[in-house]
Every structure is written in C-alpha cells, then in structure tokens.
Amino acid sequence: MSSTSIEQPCYTLINLPQDAEQPTEMKLREDLEKGDNKVKAEALKKVIQLMLNGEKFPSLLMTIIRFVMPVADHTLKKLLLVFWEIVPKNTPDGKLMQEMILVCDAYRRDLQHPNEFIRGSTLRFLCKLKEPELLEPLMPSIKACLEYKHNYVRRNAVMAIFTIYKNFNFLMPDAPEIIANFLEREQDMSCKRNAFMMLIHADQERALNYLSSCIDQVNTFGDILQLVIVELIYKVCHANPSERARFIRCVYALLNSSSQAVRYEAAGTLITLSSAPSAVKAAASCYIDLIVKESDNNVKLIVLDKIIQLKEVPSHEKVLQELVMDILRVLSSPDIEVRKKTLNLGLDLVTTRSIGEMVLILKKELSKTNNANELEDMDKYRQLLVRTLHQMSIKFPDTAASIIPVVVEYLSDSNELAALDVLVFIREIIHKFVNLKDLILQKLLEIFSSIKSVKILRGTLWILGEYCENVEDIQNLITQVRQSLGDIPIVDDELKRAAGIENKEDEQILKSNTSTTTQQLVTADGTYASQSAFVSNTPNTTKDDSEKRPPLRSFLLKGEFFIASALARTLTKLAVKYSKLVDNNQVKQNRFNSEAMLIMASILHYGKSGMAKKAINEDDNDSINICLRVLSERSPFVVNLFNNQSQVALSTMLDAKLDETDLAWKTRHGKKKVQAQIQPDDPLRFGQLISNSDFIEKEDVFDLTLKQAIGVLNKKDEDFILSSKLNKVTQLTGFSDPVYAEAYVHVNQYDIVLDVLIVNQTTDTLQNLTLELATLGDLKLVEKPSALTLAPRDFTNIKANIKVASTENGIIFGNIVYDISGAASDRNCVVLNDIHIDIMDYIVPAQCTDQEFLQMWVIFEWENKVVVNTNIKDLNEYLEHVIKSTNMKCLTPEKALSGDCGFMAANLYAKSIFGEDVLANVSIEKSLQNPDSQVLGHIRIRAKSQGMALSMGDKINLTQKQIKN
C-alpha cells in the first residue's frame, strides 16, 4: 500500500497570514505545558495553522495529550477537536498510533459529559473520523446520546451514526432499525429530519413506510423535514414510476407549505412527476406566487427561469398562456432585470384572448413611470414597456390604435432613449398599417411643438414629411414649422432682438406649446395670414435668452444645423407633393415653393452670419443647397427620389430586420425540433414497460451523468472531443522530468479549479512533495496545497482553487519541490510551464440596440486599436473568425455585410459574467484588383476598464498569429 492511499482527509481550512511570525517548536511546547488557558489556546491555534501549511510536530503530540487534553475549558476543547481532525493518526506503515488510545478514551469521556455543547461538538467531530479502530470503542456512548434530553445532542448523534454506518457498516449493522425506532418516538423536527435523511440513504423502504404512515400530517412538519420528504418522493418516483400515484397528493399538499423553499422544490418535483395540465398549472401558479412574495431579486430571477423552461415545452406553453395575467403581477418588482424577463415572457405567451387585458396593464405601467422617484431605472423601464408595446402592435395589429395615443405623448419626454424607441415604433406602424396613418399624423402634429430633443424632432420631421399626403396635412405641418421657427428672415429678427425690440409672439408660442391649439396660418388659396396666431400679455423676462425662442429657432441658435438640413428635405418633399396635389393652380405652387425656399435661404444666411454658437458645416450647407436646386430645377429623376425612394428604403430595412428576427427565432427554436427527432441508431424505449410514457420523456439520469463526467452538459452542437475535458488539459512538465505534471483547468464563473495530476516517474520515494503556485493578474490563490509523500511510480491528484475578480488575462505559474527519501542533497525543484487563463471563458455574446451601442462607445474611455495582420483573403471569413475567437455578437445585419465592394465595417458587442461591456468596431478592406491580396484594416476595441480592452486586444492578436502560422 502506498503512502498516498492512507493520506489523512482534512475538512478544515485555516489561512496562515503571510506576515505571521513563525514560532519555534520549543516555544510552542513551553506555552502548551506552562501557560494558562488563554496562552495554551493561542499556542494550539499556531500549531494547527502550521500543520495545515505543511509543518510536522510529532513531538508535540504527547505534550498536548498530557497538558491540554485534561483541561475543561470549552475553547480548548473546541480547538482540540480541530487538532485531532488534522493530526496524523497512523504510523508510516499504516498502523494506528499508540497515543490514539489515550485520545479515544478522551472522546468517550466527552460523549458522556454533562454539557450538551461538548457532547454535540464531539459527535460532529466523529463524523469526520475515518479510523474504525478509534470509532469501535465509542459505539455504546454514541447510541446512548440518542436518548439525551437536549435536541442538539440527539441531532448530532443521528448524523454520527449515519456517517459511521455509511463508511463502516460493520460497526453498527442494526443502525437503520435503531434510527427508524428513534424516528417514531422523536418530536423535534431537526432530529426527525436527520433521521429521515439517513433512512433515505440507508434503508429507503423504512423511510417510505414511515412517510406512508404520516402522509396526512406532512403539512404540520417543519420545513427542513418537508424538504427531505420532497427529495425522497423525487428519488422514489424516478426509480419506480408506479409509485407516483401514491405520493403525488403529498406533493400537491406541499405546494401550500409555509416555507418558500419547500414550495419551490415541490413545484419542481410535481412538474417532473406529471405532465398533466392541472399539475403544470398548479406548479406555475406556485412559482408566480413565489416571485411576487419573495423580496430577493436573485430568487425572483431563478424562479422566472424555471417558468421560462416550462414555456419551452409545447404542451406546457398552452397552460402558461392562461396564466399570462398572473405573470404580469411580477412587474411590481422594482428590479429592471426581473421586469425585462417578465415582459419578454409575457410577450411570448400573450394570445388574442389575453392581448386586450395585457395592453391595459402595460399602459397603466407606462403611466406609473411618470411619477416615479428612481429616475434611471424608470427611464429603462419606460424603454422596455415601449418596446414591448411595439412588438405587440406588430404581432396583434388590432391593438395599435389604442396604443398609439398613449406612446406618442412620450415623444416630448426628457428621456431621449425612450422617445427614440417611440419614434421607431411609430415609423414602423405608420408604414405597415395605412389605416392608422391619419391618427398618427394627427397625434404627431399635436405634439410637434412640445418636442424637446433635437434627434426626436428630426425623426418626427422625416415621418411627417414622408406621410403627409393631402393638402390639409401639408398646410398644418407648414404652419407648425413656421411657428417653431419664429419670424423670418431669421437674421433680421435676431438683429431686432439684439437692438432691444422684443418679439412677444415667440414667448406666447413657448407659453402655449402644451396648452393652446394652433391656428391655421396657411389659407385655402395657399397664401399666409398676415396677423399672428398668438398674443403675449406677460413676457417672461427671467428666462435665458435662448429659452425665449421657439423650439426650432433655439436649436439653430445653438448651432444644431443638422436639424436644418432635415427640415430642408422635409420642405422639399412637401413642396413636391403640394405641387402634384394642386397641379392646375400654378400660383399656389409658386407661393408654396417660394415660402419653402425662403425658409431654407433664411437658415443658410443665418448659418453663415456668425450669430449662431456654431457656424453651419459644409455637409449641412450642401444638403440645403441641393434642396433649393431641386425646387428650382424640378428634375423628374430627383423629384422621384424625394417622392418615393425614402419609403422604399424604409421598407427594405424593415424587411431585413424581420428576416433577421425570423432567422434568430428559427435558430433558437429549431434546434429543439431537431433534437426531438429519433435517429436510426438511437436506443428504443418501450412505453409498455413503464407505467406512464410521459415519465420517460424526462431527462435520462444516465445521459446526464455521462455528460457531466466529460464536461459537455451545457455544450450544444460542438465536436464531442473538443467540448470534453481533454481539450482543457495543460501539460506542465516534460515527459523526461522526474515528476510529470499536467493540469485540467476548470472555469466555473468566479472560480478556477486546477486539477493537477502528479506522477512520480522515479524509483525513489518523494517526501514533502509540494505544489507551489503563484498568480499574475487579477487572480488570487485561495489556499496553499498541502505537502504529501509519493511512492515510486505512484501518482496523485492535487486540487487548487483560484478566485477571479475581473475579466483580465491571468497567468498561473509555479514549481514542484520535493525531497528524496534517504538522500542528503538539497530539495529538488521542477519548474512548471505557465498556465494562461483564457478570458473567453468569461465572455458571452450579448445584444443591444444601435443607440445603446453608440452611447456606450462615447462613454467608454479605454480604447485598444488592433492592426489586422492575417493571411485570410476574404472579408466575411475574417469577420467570422474574429466573432468566433472573441465570443462577440455581430450587431450589423447580415444583409448590410453581404456583397463584395472591397471594404467592410461591423460592430461587435459582448458582456462578461462580471457585468463588464466590451465593444468592437471592425474596419477592414481588400483590393478588388488583386484577388490574392490579404485583408487589411484595424479593429478598435472599447471598454470601461483598461484590463478588458487590453485582454480582448491580446486575444485577437493571438488568434491572428495562429492563423498566420
């Protein structure tokens, strides 16, 4: 037998501070022999810490037995239990040390001690002993503890008997019978729970008989016992499906338990046991009730995921559709992630029967966001609600008419992102549903003057210019534009203001933006009324000068001339349509054209006058000049572009988005259909051999355990070998080294577990063999692996835990040091290869809108620019390689990347499990004249933290080199 096979198990981990002073063995002995209780306790703590970190103190064993063990102090007794747990109890040849006989006698006395704490602590300690020679003399005392008056002692006595029976059943062969009798007469719930749990694992038949005898009283049991009962029912029914009818009533009863944990477990077990609609409905209702009543957001998210898993089963989805209104009760939670998942789930489950009620609830939720205190979260929540209403309107067009008036009001909202979502919503609805066009135009014209954001106003102008197609709508829009611009020419009006001549019309416009209906300034014959539509009585002299202007004028004053180019294009479209509508009246055509050209020319003059905060730029200047030229020349080709092509482009874009959404849905849901098909080499399952065929549709336990063993449980559509553990083994030493080592790196979110295999390739016994590790980066070694002895040609596994704090490239390095038995030389050392932790284990693809991407791009301050250096000769192939190697998602639609024009630009996005965002912009090109030329360009990476940006850049550089090689 090799020495590693009798290596002592250790359950206690105590960290030794790096700056701790190392006491000598002589000093420790002196403190243990002559010190008072406090000094002895401190000395014993130091001995324990040093032994856990590889030190050996064989001579201190008798000192502790003689001078510390007889002391009655409770602190010392507790420390002694830790000491006996970690101290070697066997001689090198595997026999029990003689000193342990004295220790065993001390255990026996403690088991008979009148203090319940000492008895209970000793019983807990006995659960950790692996030496039957020490346990055998204690069995009568352990049994006697089952009769002790205090439940703490009885509870731990049951656990001690359970552990001893599991490890050494020959010491107490009648343990199940003793515990079954104990369970019958015991009243304390914690003791009953431990006894019942032992019977589940040791004698399941006795556990079932007990449960059958008290099945009607299950609701009166404590929650800890109820949890164990649920576990038993799950195991029994999986092993023997015919037992389900016997226990399913009990599971139903536990759905009404006072404990949230019991209800959660009972609901999960019920779904596993039965696929009946009544069972699914009861479990789902229980889940919903848990989410509503539970305050912890993490619990809410976990239970929501359970409901989402239920929805994936087609037969269960129909049941959940009836509960969609109950699911929407979860929106009362203030957490944005919970609300997001709830809205997505509700959108998937809503039907024609429930759509009306759901719209009413969401409109009510939208109105609540106006009076909320948490501004940031409410802005995001408003966005989510608008997007959900948008998707519902597309899915159920009949609801759009009731939704439009509510959401249009938010165009004037100060939250620009929510207003942008409303604008996108309105643009799609007005394009797809012609019957709603008049309603939308009316609402947009009503709110036009109160829009505060320049981006929203620009989008609103585009929609109005594109879809105002009759004389009345065009006249109403031009009226709104004139009111929003103020008096023209703009330069003359501003000079008058500067000279102190106040124009009171503008102030009245500002005052009545939200409360006064506008008067029509364009008469029926196309001329403009000479008198003002507004009269101001009380000018506000306290406002800033720029705030006194009408909305459009105030934007121009600040130098926002992009809105001016949008206005010019809108006026051009209106002029073209108006001319077509009044084709037989040349005078009206000319008056309208001249008015539109006057507005444009006035803006151009103002932009170049130097009176605005920023002068008009060349692009906006050219855009307005082109519009003037179109109105003056009336080229049929250009007029057609203004008249028709914008809507054609919008239609193409919406179709591309729809195709992309359909593709994503098929990708997400199509896999399940493929997996449900039976392949030619699949094993046959005979329903006649199992009582209920529904039951065998559940997860096969053997398949699950096999997948867990090779590490592919959560992997899909990947190569079997590449996704197994074998792909993550790193060789640490050479085959010719005296000690061979290799490590399997298992990344589990915030932890890394190194499972290191160490092989002694020599004929010598290696003593004090220690794996010494150190880390570079944001990694931290949790504990130092303890020293061990390795026999000739023997092998062992050492596990090391490492904590990860952020997404940065980390390196683990170290060496193996050991002594050779009988050699007088210094310690031997084998240096290990470095282990590079791949940040891709922490990066997951994520989705965001274009607006969110641009906002993050501006905010993130760390940028890493990577030059493309590869031998790939195809642009699309290179982009696919970057996406695959970085785990990022391409936000640019596939149709935008199709074609071959010699250059490509794409946006990529991903998130880490720590919540860090990383953005990338790929700009690459290739010469069309030379097909064999390589891809050139660069990739710009942006992140909030420097480490994230640098790590992602290093990853791209590394994968480029691998391909090049």
Side-chain angles (χ1 to χ4, degrees), residues 154 182-192:
R154 298 197 304 274
F182 170 82
L183 185 58
E184 291 289 346
R185 65 177 183 270
E186 181 57 51
Q187 297 300 317
D188 181 75
M189 283 302 162
S190 61
C191 298
K192 291 179 81 169

Side-chain angles (χ1 to χ4, degrees), residues 29 60 104 147 193 197 203 209 221 234 241 250 286 310 449 557 570 576 640 703 742 755-756 764 772 874:
R29 182 181 288 107
L60 290 180
C104 184
E147 307 294 334
R193 178 257 182 198
M197 188 173 68
D203 192 341
N209 290 338
F221 292 166
Y234 177 82
C250 179
C286 180
L310 275 180
S449 58
L557 197 66
T570 300
V576 169
N640 178 56
D703 289 345
E742 65 182 26
D755 190 352
V756 185
D764 300 316
E772 297 180 344
D874 183 74

Side-chain angles (χ1 to χ4, degrees), residues 724-898:
S724 72
K725 290 184 177 181
L726 299 176
N727 195 41
K728 293 188 176 182
V729 173
T730 304
Q731 186 175 335
L732 302 179
T733 65
F735 291 113
S736 59
D737 285 319
V739 176
Y740 173 75
E742 65 182 26
Y744 163 63
V745 183
H746 177 65
V747 178
N748 181 22
Q749 290 204 341
Y750 308 111
D751 299 321
I752 298 173
V753 179
L754 289 185
D755 190 352
V756 185
L757 170 68
I758 297 177
V759 182
N760 180 5
Q761 301 194 106
T762 69
T763 55
D764 300 316
T765 299
L766 306 184
Q767 294 181 336
N768 295 328
L769 186 143
T770 308
L771 175 65
E772 297 180 344
L773 297 173
T775 58
L776 188 66
D778 220 342
L779 305 174
K780 183 182 178 184
L781 190 65
V782 176
E783 82 272 359
K784 178 182 176 184
S786 58
L788 50 87
T789 301
L790 208 55
R793 306 293 180 188
D794 198 1
F795 64 89
T796 188
N797 283 73
I798 297 177
K799 289 190 177 181
N801 290 299
I802 294 166
K803 286 285 183 186
V804 187
S806 68
T807 313
E808 290 186 23
N809 280 334
I811 301 174
I812 304 170
F813 55 93
N815 49 50
I816 295 173
V817 294
Y818 59 90
D819 297 325
I820 297 176
S821 180
S825 60
D826 293 335
R827 298 201 80 183
N828 298 275
C829 179
V830 178
V831 179
L832 306 178
N833 290 332
D834 296 344
I835 301 174
H836 291 265
I837 302 301
D838 191 356
I839 68 163
M840 290 304 106
D841 290 315
Y842 311 110
I843 301 293
V844 290
Q847 181 70 44
C848 71
T849 62
D850 293 340
Q851 289 86 6
E852 289 167 344
F853 183 91
L854 290 172
Q855 191 177 22
M856 286 189 284
W857 188 266
V858 173
I859 293 171
F860 291 171
E861 54 190 14
W862 291 103
E863 180 173 313
N864 186 9
K865 189 173 181 179
V866 179
V867 178
V868 174
N869 183 17
T870 181
N871 57 2
I872 295 179
K873 297 178 181 178
D874 183 74
L875 298 178
N876 284 295
E877 185 185 344
Y878 179 77
L879 179 64
E880 285 297 322
H881 169 68
V882 170
I883 292 170
K884 186 176 179 181
S885 60
T886 59
N887 279 0
M888 299 186 83
K889 180 178 177 64
C890 183
L891 301 179
T892 308
E894 192 175 343
K895 287 197 174 182
L897 301 173
S898 59

Side-chain angles (χ1 to χ4, degrees), residues 383 386-387 390 407 410-428 453-460 463 657 849-852 854-855:
Q383 267 185 281
V386 169
R387 289 178 187 175
H390 179 182
V407 296
Y410 291 94
L411 284 176
S412 60
D413 193 65
S414 56
N415 176 19
E416 193 174 89
L417 291 175
L420 277 171
D421 284 328
V422 173
L423 204 62
V424 170
F425 171 30
I426 290 171
R427 185 182 65 188
E428 185 169 358
S453 168
V454 64
K455 286 184 182 177
I456 307 305
L457 189 59
R458 196 167 64 231
T460 307
I463 293 173
K657 275 192 174 181
T849 62
D850 293 340
Q851 289 86 6
E852 289 167 344
L854 290 172
Q855 191 177 22

